[in-house]
Amino acid sequence: MKILIVGGTGTIGKKIVEAFKTKHEVIIAGRNSGDINVDLTDKTSIIKMYEELKEVDACICTAGTGFYGDYYAMTEEDLMIGIKGKMLGQMNLVLIGKKYISKEGSFTLTSGIAAEHPAKNGTAVATINGAINSFVLASAQELKNDIKINVVSPGLVEDSFERYGDFFPGYNLAPMKKIVNAYILSVEGAINGKILKVFS
Amino acid sequence: MKILIVGGTGTIGKKIVEAFKTKHEVIIAGRNSGDINVDLTDKTSIIKMYEELKEVDACICTAGTGFYGDYYAMTEEDLMIGIKGKMLGQMNLVLIGKKYISKEGSFTLTSGIAAEHPAKNGTAVATINGAINSFVLASAQELKNDIKINVVSPGLVEDSFERYGDFFPGYNLAPMKKIVNAYILSVEGAINGKILKVFS
């Protein structure tokens, strides 16, 4: 398969790239890195990327920005960081991308545990993750040409623990192996419209 | 209690107004109707409304617009209708309103069954409803002064059946009495951070 991994140089992305590249052709997309550049906040950049690639069998997105910070100081501008950078970004990757994905291909998006178990200061991120989960449930019913779509919702990512662990006291680590498996299940399995929760 | 009902002239709103006004002071806010005007897509309009009201004990929102339509023709502009008119609108009602709600007061937002069981052509609405549900879970942990927040997620609303029934084939009707009770439970009960699902 020809697999596009948007965010393929990130914490989750690079582990997925490792796993898929043994059996598949992997194209890494990143804002300033990877094989091809894409800015998720810019529709024309997404269109340009797909036009260059022509057709892919699977599109995985592990990229997305969001706002963490004091609830009482949070503004609409803070909310828009995640709405544009993750929610609309991942949605556009599907809505624009659906004509570039081959028959029986797939999309795999990334939300997160915050949709159901938000951390302190994480309201903006929780909201975006909840939106992506529901978008995937709905999109699975709409996509034609037997294209599937799932979303991986990881807990506190094992490899992010040093950087973000302090923000999530008491959250169990989601092992990288399990997170990677969720993306493999979505791309190579038969499932469609599933929220793959990698947390306990 | 002094209860602000944004969308109080709508299908759900008017039934809630009837129920609350027997025991409480009810203020109806609407875009062009009610006791006070508010445009949910406009932050300054929300601020102006709260400034006029000074303080309320409960804020209920049953208002919000969204896009229904063909998935393959849906654009980012279509998505923005619900993002601005319902998602950010209801969020701003809380984020701006939190300093106008009295101690031990409450917010009650409205999402919908689409967050978990989207209807055909309802991807935009599903996404927004999922976002609102997660926003409420997160906000319940953050609001100070013992202010509570819940969200009512109704199924196919009984009184909307004639107008919208054809869009939701096979969806069970959510009885008005049960929907109204969910808002009463949120405002007068002790619950906090709950998604009150009025569907089966």
Side-chain angles (χ1 to χ4, degrees):
Chain A
M1 272 192 258
K2 190 172 163 187
I3 303 178
L4 168 66
I5 304 184
V6 180
T9 54
T11 308
I12 294 178
K14 57 191 177 195
K15 289 293 165 77
I16 300 173
V17 169
E18 267 175 42
F20 280 110
K21 77 179 179 191
T22 59
K23 290 193 345 192
H24 303 282
E25 179 193 349
V26 168
I27 301 141
I28 299 173
R31 188 189 284 257
N32 306 303
S33 57
D35 306 311
I36 191 165
N37 290 149
V38 66
D39 174 1
L40 283 185
T41 66
D42 178 4
K43 261 190 311 184
T44 47
S45 167
I46 296 174
I47 294 169
K48 189 168 163 284
M49 173 188 68
Y50 278 122
E51 279 295 320
E52 280 182 44
L53 295 173
K54 305 275 189 265
E55 189 176 55
V56 293
D57 300 304
C59 168
I60 295 172
C61 181
T62 57
T65 52
F67 172 81
Y68 270 91
D70 179 45
Y71 186 84
Y72 274 76
M74 187 169 65
T75 64
E76 192 174 308
E77 289 64 43
D78 296 326
L79 295 173
M80 288 310 293
I81 298 169
I83 290 175
K84 289 195 168 173
K86 186 167 176 179
M87 179 180 159
L88 280 171
Q90 295 205 17
M91 290 170 82
N92 277 328
L93 216 47
V94 176
L95 295 173
I96 294 166
K98 60 193 184 306
K99 70 171 182 170
Y100 301 93
I101 298 285
S102 55
K103 190 168 160 58
E104 298 181 27
S106 67
F107 290 102
T108 309
L109 304 184
T110 304
S111 60
I113 187 173
E116 289 143 298
H117 305 284
K120 187 166 174 58
N121 297 325
T123 298
V125 169
T127 305
I128 278 20
N129 287 344
I132 293 173
N133 283 350
S134 293
F135 171 74
V136 166
L137 296 181
S139 294
Q141 304 183 148
E142 301 281 0
L143 287 165
K144 299 185 192 302
N145 292 317
D146 302 320
I147 294 171
K148 304 175 302 151
I149 183 168
N150 301 291
V151 53
V152 178
S153 178
L156 175 52
V157 177
E158 187 181 11
D159 286 0
S160 296
F161 180 72
E162 264 188 49
R163 202 162 151 201
Y164 297 121
D166 285 350
F167 298 107
F168 300 92
Y171 281 63
N172 294 317
L173 286 185
M176 295 315 294
K177 180 73 191 155
K178 278 194 167 182
I179 295 172
V180 170
N181 272 340
Y183 290 92
I184 293 173
L185 181 62
S186 175
V187 172
E188 299 185 16
I191 60 167
N192 186 26
K194 299 295 180 200
I195 302 167
L196 297 167
K197 299 179 186 180
V198 191
F199 57 81
S200 55
Chain B
M1 272 192 258
K2 189 171 164 187
I3 302 178
L4 168 66
I5 304 184
V6 180
T9 56
T11 308
I12 294 177
K14 57 191 176 194
K15 289 293 165 75
I16 300 173
V17 169
E18 267 176 39
F20 280 110
K21 76 179 179 191
T22 58
K23 290 193 347 192
H24 303 281
E25 179 193 349
V26 169
I27 301 141
I28 298 173
R31 188 190 284 257
N32 306 301
S33 57
D35 306 312
I36 192 164
N37 290 148
V38 67
D39 175 1
L40 283 185
T41 66
D42 178 4
K43 260 190 311 184
T44 47
S45 167
I46 296 174
I47 294 168
K48 189 168 164 283
M49 173 189 70
Y50 278 122
E51 279 294 320
E52 279 182 43
L53 295 172
K54 305 276 190 263
E55 190 177 54
V56 292
D57 300 305
C59 168
I60 295 172
C61 181
T62 58
T65 52
F67 172 82
Y68 269 92
D70 179 46
Y71 186 84
Y72 274 76
M74 187 169 66
T75 64
E76 191 174 308
E77 290 63 44
D78 296 326
L79 296 172
M80 287 310 293
I81 298 170
I83 289 175
K84 288 195 169 174
K86 185 167 177 180
M87 179 179 158
L88 280 171
Q90 294 204 18
M91 290 170 82
N92 277 327
L93 216 47
V94 176
L95 295 173
I96 294 166
K98 61 193 183 307
K99 69 172 185 170
Y100 301 93
I101 298 285
S102 56
K103 191 168 159 59
E104 297 182 29
S106 68
F107 290 101
T108 309
L109 305 184
T110 304
S111 61
I113 187 173
E116 288 143 298
H117 305 284
K120 188 166 172 59
N121 296 325
T123 298
V125 169
T127 305
I128 279 16
N129 287 344
I132 293 173
N133 283 349
S134 294
F135 172 73
V136 166
L137 295 182
S139 294
Q141 304 183 148
E142 300 281 0
L143 287 165
K144 299 185 192 302
N145 292 316
D146 301 320
I147 294 171
K148 301 176 303 153
I149 182 167
N150 300 291
V151 54
V152 178
S153 178
L156 175 53
V157 177
E158 188 182 10
D159 287 1
S160 296
F161 180 71
E162 266 190 48
R163 203 164 152 200
Y164 296 120
D166 285 349
F167 298 107
F168 300 91
Y171 281 63
N172 294 316
L173 285 184
M176 296 316 293
K177 179 73 190 154
K178 278 195 167 182
I179 295 172
V180 169
N181 272 341
Y183 290 92
I184 293 174
L185 181 62
S186 175
V187 172
E188 298 185 17
I191 60 167
N192 186 25
K194 299 294 180 201
I195 301 167
L196 297 166
K197 300 178 186 181
V198 191
F199 57 80
S200 56

